[in-house]
Amino acid sequence: MNVVVIGAQWGDEGKGKIVDYLAEDAKYVVRYAGGPNAGHTIVVDGKQYALHQVPSGILYADKKVFLGSGMVIDVEAFFNELQMLKDNGINWEGRVFISDRAQLILPRYRQMDKERDAARKRPIGTTGRGMGIAYAEKAHRDGVRLADLDWPEKMAEFDGEDKEYLDKYRDRLMSMRVNMAAEMYKVKGENILFEGAQGAMLDLDSGTYPYVSSGASCAAGASSGCGIGPHDLDQIVGVFKAYETRVGNGPMPSEFNNESEGELCQYVRDTGREYGVTTGRARRCGYLDLVALRYACRVNSLDGLVLTHLDIYDAMDQIEACVAYEINGQRVTDFPANVKELETAKPILEKFQGWKTELKNCRSYEELPEQARAYIKYIEDYCETPVTIVSVGYERKDTFVRKNPWK
């Protein structure tokens, strides 16, 4: 069975924890898009792991993980990450594989990425990791793939630092390479978990363009980035937080107003530890945007939603969520493509009663307070998509499964 996990907002929704949790029932975990700008945080027995390119299932000793064809890989950072895992007692040797169609990020791409963003009239606010350049070179048909390291004529195009860099890592990379399509066909019928990066609202086609990532963070990317057909995707789940966050520039209609809601923003940011795993940047915070979430459900054919960070609201008497936008005096409930409309949109909010209970003390969904369950029911009805998993903390045990996607 094939299960896909995507972010249903602007990234940082808690995908790493959910992939790690669901990986227990998987045999293989495949990361299908993105690169070193992703930051997936996992906490196991009080110990925190920050993963950027290695799939989150690596913490299970019996799982094999794959970096898919849709990824762009910073090789130096990748091997540093593997060393970090080894230093923390995670034996990864023989369990990590890379698609021979994956693209490689050259060191000079990082500076090019920063310079290109700085030169824009409307900077995107990239992480400067070279991903945008790598994807651009891929689209220009000038990129370098893992398979190309065995193509003498292609390698002859590189000299200086590029050649030295590729030669340095060539043998180690080639020892991990696989034909992704052949590998996925070989294990067809096994439980395979496909891990997305960033979020649905940062997808190159369906996100808030041009303020998006350069790769496919939509559910369809699991097919194009892993060498399997779309009919072979059995379940697609989207992870979202009980509120909204965004890193970098771009529209965010439900963002807290710093002047009138600055205290609320800081509370959510600090309580939810909303600082970038990769960059350390403070994330922009706002009310849960149900207009955007329903849009993500529709364009990604989500079978279920995974709600995280619900416990952040434990101490609040009342919470609010955005149920519509006011744009040019009109009430809008369909997510627009026009950036100007999104930038001027005012959130229309619905109030919900708080629960004033520490949710981490609950051990099942049924033990959640009535007010918390009412909030979840409203989200389900609005998005016409069931909330199948609820997370109320960083540990694996703080997870309540209402419907197991593997079943």
Side-chain angles (χ1 to χ4, degrees):
M1 186 171 187
N2 297 326
V3 173
V4 182
V5 176
I6 71 165
Q9 296 168 313
W10 278 281
D12 307 308
E13 304 95 345
K15 293 182 297 299
K17 178 203 166 166
I18 299 305
V19 170
D20 169 75
Y21 185 86
L22 293 176
E24 183 176 7
D25 293 322
K27 191 168 184 179
Y28 307 98
V29 181
V30 184
R31 176 76 182 276
Y32 66 79
N37 66 338
H40 295 174
T41 303
I42 304 168
V43 180
V44 181
D45 296 329
K47 191 170 186 177
Q48 179 171 304
Y49 301 85
L51 300 175
H52 303 279
Q53 297 180 96
V54 179
S56 299
I58 193 64
L59 299 183
Y60 290 94
D62 60 338
K63 313 299 178 188
K64 291 183 178 180
V65 303
F66 296 83
L67 283 70
S69 307
M71 288 190 67
V72 290
I73 300 170
D74 182 323
V75 180
E76 181 180 14
F78 169 66
F79 283 116
N80 287 341
E81 194 170 321
L82 291 178
Q83 185 60 50
M84 176 275 293
L85 290 168
K86 186 174 182 178
D87 292 342
N88 282 277
I90 307 298
N91 181 18
W92 59 264
E93 285 88 347
R95 299 196 294 119
V96 180
F97 304 92
I98 308 172
S99 168
D100 54 10
R101 287 179 166 83
Q103 299 274 328
L104 306 181
I105 297 174
L106 296 175
R108 57 185 169 88
Y109 289 2
R110 300 174 198 139
Q111 187 59 32
M112 292 170 65
D113 199 358
K114 294 173 185 175
E115 290 174 355
R116 180 171 294 184
D117 200 43
R120 289 187 172 103
K121 291 183 178 179
R122 293 180 299 276
I124 305 298
T126 72
T127 59
R129 306 280 166 162
M131 278 189 52
I133 302 299
Y135 276 118
E137 292 294 281
K138 175 182 179 179
H140 288 147
R141 282 86 71 184
D142 292 322
V144 55
R145 305 175 305 163
L146 180 54
D148 298 337
L149 299 184
D150 248 359
W151 181 11
E153 290 81 6
K154 178 67 175 181
M155 289 299 97
E157 298 174 9
F158 299 99
D159 56 19
E161 291 184 0
D162 288 349
K163 184 178 187 304
E164 182 180 338
Y165 182 77
L166 294 171
D167 286 345
K168 177 181 178 181
Y169 294 106
R170 181 189 182 283
D171 291 344
R172 295 175 72 186
L173 286 170
M174 297 303 273
S175 70
M176 297 180 179
R177 73 168 177 172
V178 293
N179 181 319
M180 202 69 201
E183 200 69 22
M184 290 296 96
Y185 186 78
K186 188 190 304 180
V187 300
K188 190 173 184 178
E190 301 282 3
N191 280 359
I192 308 173
L193 186 60
F194 296 92
E195 176 183 16
Q198 286 79 52
M201 304 309 294
L202 292 175
D203 181 72
L204 187 60
D205 291 307
S206 55
T208 51
Y209 188 89
Y211 301 98
V212 292
S213 187
S214 304
S217 50
C218 59
S223 176
S224 62
C226 294
I228 66 168
H231 278 301
D232 289 327
L233 303 179
D234 299 303
Q235 284 285 307
I236 304 170
V237 296
V239 185
F240 76 105
K241 283 187 286 206
Y243 50 93
E244 210 83 16
T245 64
R246 181 166 191 165
V247 172
N249 301 327
M252 183 181 170
S254 66
E255 186 170 12
F256 294 135
N257 184 305
N258 279 331
E259 293 183 7
S260 60
E261 298 164 324
E263 188 175 338
L264 174 60
C265 179
Q266 198 60 49
Y267 171 80
V268 170
R269 181 178 291 144
D270 291 343
T271 309
R273 300 194 289 189
E274 296 300 345
Y275 297 89
V277 176
T278 302
T279 63
R281 286 188 292 183
R283 296 171 184 145
R284 298 159 60 189
C285 299
Y287 300 104
L288 174 62
D289 187 338
L290 290 173
V291 179
L293 184 61
R294 181 168 63 185
Y295 169 73
C297 290
R298 290 173 174 175
V299 299
N300 290 284
S301 298
L302 296 188
D303 296 295
L305 286 164
V306 179
L307 171 58
T308 67
H309 288 65
L310 185 61
D311 54 304
I312 303 307
Y313 285 143
D314 283 356
M316 299 182 66
D317 294 313
Q318 180 180 275
I319 59 178
E320 296 178 276
C322 172
V323 298
Y325 307 144
E326 182 185 323
I327 302 175
N328 299 323
Q330 301 294 315
R331 182 186 176 96
V332 175
T333 56
D334 289 320
F335 193 81
N338 188 291
V339 171
K340 189 63 178 176
E341 290 182 356
L342 287 169
E343 288 176 337
T344 58
K346 297 178 181 177
I348 296 174
L349 303 175
E350 182 82 18
K351 292 180 171 60
F352 300 86
Q353 185 179 350
W355 40 87
K356 305 289 285 185
T357 302
E358 193 171 345
L359 297 186
K360 282 177 69 70
N361 293 331
C362 300
R363 293 273 58 90
S364 69
Y365 179 81
E366 288 70 28
E367 288 185 24
L368 292 176
E370 179 183 348
Q371 297 88 339
R373 285 185 277 117
Y375 181 56
I376 294 169
K377 179 67 164 56
Y378 187 95
I379 294 169
E380 291 181 312
D381 291 344
Y382 189 101
C383 295
E384 301 175 311
T385 307
V387 174
T388 54
I389 299 175
V390 178
S391 170
V392 295
Y394 295 98
E395 294 277 2
R396 289 171 178 165
K397 61 182 175 62
D398 301 323
T399 313
F400 310 140
V401 178
R402 303 176 70 196
K403 180 183 178 183
N404 190 330
W406 295 114
K407 300 177 181 178

